[in-house]
Amino acid sequence: MPLFVIGIAGLALCAALSLALGARSVPLSTVADALFGDGHGRDAIAVTGLRLPRTVVGLAVGAALGVAGAVAQGITRNALASPTTLGINAGAGFAVVTAIYVFQLTRPVEYLWFAFAGAAGAALFAQALARRAGDIDPVRLALGGTVLQLVLLSWTSAVMLASKRTLDEARFWLAGSLSGRTLDVLWPVLPMIVIGLVAALAISPALNALALGDDSAQALGVPVARIRLAGGLAVVLLAGSAVAVAGPVAFIGLAAPHLIRPLLGGDHRLLVPGCLIAGPLLLLAADVLGRLVVRPSELEVGIVTAFLGAPLLALLARKVAR
């Protein structure tokens, strides 16, 4: 479809800008030489050693968050659902801060499995709160995730206030960042991202039936409980992996589906692949913007997405209320 071609072209442009722009701008010709092994010097080292891993991590994290948001909204039938509102980000943050406090961790690669475990634990707890008569109530799931998020954020703040060292170590990760992320951080969770993406694409036709309501979906022969469980697991794999790598980046999972729906409609067979493109496009664009607005310093990408996403959330809340 033409829109997918345009989206891929836009994503390629964002990736090229991510390689070229930063504290020191590098000409695109130098970027191309560095990628194909013909470049030498400081600029080439900056491209291949720092910006290329950062861009690859941004592509993977953005894709995971975008698709996780689409699936979360599909299984909950809630337009405001996302990894943030389901408590997944807060669970990962609480686990990482606690691990830093208890085990004296100092490197992002050491946070990975604590973050993933915290995200999974929060998602399972939110689903337990949402169970009613053996089934998961979508409204209770969204409300339970929101309450859990608030509780975990409070506990996280308490732990950080109790230890200045923990505050110093955790604050940049909690802001959500691609800075300093190497492929060594991505490789351990990449298989889980791939599994989550495959699962999300596989259940996308069934998500269309869920949008009609549980009774209608069951009448069409869709195993509602299994699809919702599979969707929940996909969200945990995708969002947990993304948060483990880059920290709790907000609003990408919420914004990507709402950006794609007016263009491709509500068919999840198109929506999920669309978010696979829109998620990394939004994340890389926010990361590049964060490098430019206070150059030669930079804003963490999580701060940029939060700043841009807050008005979006307010508009969406008004739209849903209407």
Side-chain angles (χ1 to χ4, degrees):
M1 294 180 63
L3 288 176
F4 279 99
V5 175
I6 294 173
I8 293 172
L11 181 58
L13 175 61
C14 284
L17 293 177
S18 178
L19 295 172
L21 300 178
R24 175 185 173 89
S25 297
V26 177
L28 290 177
S29 59
T30 303
V31 171
D33 290 340
L35 292 178
F36 292 104
D38 297 328
H40 304 283
R42 185 171 60 178
D43 288 344
I45 293 174
V47 170
T48 58
L50 297 175
R51 294 181 185 174
L52 180 59
R54 180 173 181 163
T55 301
V56 172
V57 169
L59 290 170
V61 169
L65 290 175
V67 173
V71 175
Q73 292 174 17
I75 62 175
T76 61
R77 299 201 304 275
N78 187 334
L80 299 180
S82 71
T84 301
T85 57
L86 294 181
I88 293 174
N89 286 3
F94 174 70
V96 167
V97 169
T98 303
I100 291 173
Y101 179 72
V102 174
F103 301 109
Q104 309 293 303
L105 305 183
T106 59
R107 297 183 301 152
V109 71
E110 298 173 333
Y111 308 162
L112 285 178
W113 301 115
F114 292 102
F116 191 83
L124 291 174
F125 189 75
Q127 290 197 19
L129 292 176
R131 285 196 175 277
R132 184 172 61 181
D135 291 329
I136 296 176
D137 186 317
V139 176
R140 288 165 63 99
L141 178 61
L143 290 175
T146 302
V147 171
L148 181 61
Q149 176 193 11
L150 296 175
V151 172
L152 290 174
L153 287 176
S154 299
W155 290 350
T156 301
S157 298
V159 173
M160 293 176 68
L161 289 174
S163 169
K164 184 178 184 301
R165 193 198 70 82
T166 302
L167 174 63
D168 292 339
E169 289 289 344
R171 58 181 176 175
F172 292 110
W173 184 86
L174 286 173
S177 176
L178 299 178
S179 177
R181 299 304 190 266
T182 65
L183 297 182
D184 290 339
V185 180
L186 177 63
W187 294 137
V189 298
L190 186 60
M192 285 176 277
I193 293 178
V194 172
I195 293 171
L197 292 175
V198 171
L201 292 169
I203 66 171
S204 59
L207 294 178
N208 291 333
L210 284 186
L212 302 175
D214 289 1
D215 293 338
S216 298
Q218 288 175 345
L220 293 173
V222 175
V224 173
R226 291 181 183 177
I227 294 300
R228 192 161 280 136
L229 176 62
L233 291 174
V235 171
V236 169
L237 289 173
L238 292 170
S241 299
V243 174
V245 172
V249 178
F251 292 110
I252 297 297
L254 177 67
H258 286 282
L259 179 66
I260 293 299
R261 280 195 188 93
L263 300 175
L264 299 178
D267 188 344
H268 285 82
R269 293 173 296 180
L270 298 176
L271 181 64
V272 172
C275 289
L276 187 63
I277 298 173
L281 193 155
L282 290 173
L283 187 62
L284 288 182
D287 187 43
V288 171
L289 180 62
R291 299 184 215 175
L292 298 180
V293 291
V294 291
R295 210 164 43 166
S297 298
E298 66 177 69
L299 287 177
E300 308 299 329
V301 67
I303 297 175
V304 177
T305 58
F307 180 78
L308 298 177
L312 172 65
L313 181 60
L315 291 173
L316 291 177
R318 291 188 62 184
K319 180 179 178 180
V320 171
R322 290 173 181 173

